Amino acid sequence: MTSTLEADVLAVLKPGGKLTIDTIARNLNVPPWRVARALHSLRRNGDAFRNRRGEWQITVGQRRPARQATQ
């Protein structure tokens, strides 16, 4: 079960969106620490993940996208 803030964060992170905690906090007008807690909860549920640049995005139909091969 997701909280209201988690649902709001998921709405901001539409599929394909890559946003930082600060950007999400500004969009939702809430403190960054609350967004961070919601994102970590979503990560535990398999709904969101963070890349190496600190950007968050949601997973679509799988727990985490497969790594892309670099050439």
Side-chain angles (χ1 to χ4, degrees):
M1 182 172 158
T2 60
S3 70
T4 304
L5 182 57
E6 289 172 2
D8 291 343
V9 169
L10 283 175
V12 171
L13 287 175
K14 296 177 181 145
K18 297 179 184 177
L19 301 173
T20 63
I21 289 174
D22 290 331
T23 303
I24 297 167
R26 278 193 302 270
N27 286 336
L28 296 176
N29 199 26
V30 295
W33 66 268
R34 289 189 61 207
V35 172
R37 288 183 71 183
L39 284 167
H40 289 294
S41 177
L42 290 169
R43 181 178 64 185
R44 281 191 303 273
N45 295 336
D47 296 324
F49 70 95
R50 185 182 69 190
N51 66 17
R52 292 182 180 181
R53 291 186 221 153
E55 299 166 329
W56 289 83
Q57 66 187 95
I58 61 173
T59 56
V60 181
Q62 58 188 8
R63 294 199 51 88
R64 186 169 184 169
R67 289 187 177 199
Q68 296 178 354
T70 57
Q71 295 181 352

